[in-house]
Amino acid sequence: MDLDAGAIIAALFGLLVGSFLNVCIFRLPRGESIVWPASRCARCNRALDWYENIPVVSWLVLRARCRTCGEPISWMYPLVELTTAIVFAGMYALYGPSVLGVSRLLFACSMIVLFVIDLEHRILPNVITIPGIAIGFVFSLFAPPGWLDSLIGIALGGAVPFAIAEAYLRLRGEEGLGMGDVKMLAMIGAFLGWKLMLLTLVLASFTGSVIGLGFLASGYGRTYALPFGTFLAIAALAAIVAGDPIVAWYASFYY
Ligand SMILES: [Zn+2]
């Protein structure tokens, strides 16, 4: 990746967007507005000053604590900001300023938000996944994967997991896949098309199984439910970067 001026500007913009993503991550699961009021300390409720709101820097300067009440500030905040900055620089390097670049950025930001919310709350909010399906399809009219791939992605992402979830429920009497996962898969299919959506599902299932077996072996208990949306989010970002060569390699055995 070239560290040219464009990538650096993209990364700085990514830090600011990451700060907004933190607001979404904190407030969406609590049903709060993401535009009002200004950021506050979660404990003492004091409105933050501008210098307490600078991405990453404030967290370091404040030494991860609220200035007045001493409430610890999670390292997840700077991590989300840094990740978003890297994603912005990476997408700029991959796609430049293009419709596809904007589509991938919107998608990647949604994946970051869903990653953390599923990890912390075990939910995938409908306010992200359902509009995400529609927005992904609209972008596909103007950029890859194209509307047909996107439409098949929505159908496969929504229908196949729904059938698996139903079968699992009848066979074992427990929920294997939540409906939140299904809607998230449909959104991934809408933005990335059906091939990369299936690759995402395979990658997420594989890493989920390996880590799940690790939990079993360590005696953490078989009832510990892994946040599958968290695995889907990482797998989807990996599929964007490495997916097309993998799909081409796989297809080379058949054509
Ligand atoms: Zn405080």
Side-chain angles (χ1 to χ4, degrees), residues 64-143:
R65 290 191 176 278
C66 169
R67 193 163 52 83
T68 35
C69 73
E71 171 81 352
I73 307 166
S74 167
W75 50 267
M76 196 63 99
Y77 289 96
L79 185 68
V80 163
E81 287 155 358
L82 279 177
T83 306
T84 311
I86 293 167
V87 162
F88 267 65
M91 295 298 166
Y92 177 84
L94 281 174
Y95 306 110
S98 63
V99 177
L100 182 60
V102 174
S103 160
R104 291 288 198 255
L105 273 182
L106 264 177
F107 177 74
C109 288
S110 311
M111 291 301 113
I112 293 171
V113 171
L114 291 174
F115 174 95
V116 184
I117 291 181
D118 200 28
L119 191 64
E120 291 183 344
H121 301 276
R122 296 296 192 278
I123 53 167
L124 297 163
N126 283 339
V127 291
I128 298 175
T129 52
I130 291 176
I133 296 170
I135 293 168
F137 180 70
V138 169
F139 268 107
S140 79
L141 299 172
F142 308 99

Side-chain angles (χ1 to χ4, degrees), residues 40-46 48 66-71:
R40 285 162 187 280
C41 169
R43 184 160 158 218
C44 69
N45 215 29
R46 178 180 55 82
L48 300 185
C66 169
R67 193 163 52 83
T68 35
C69 73
E71 171 81 352

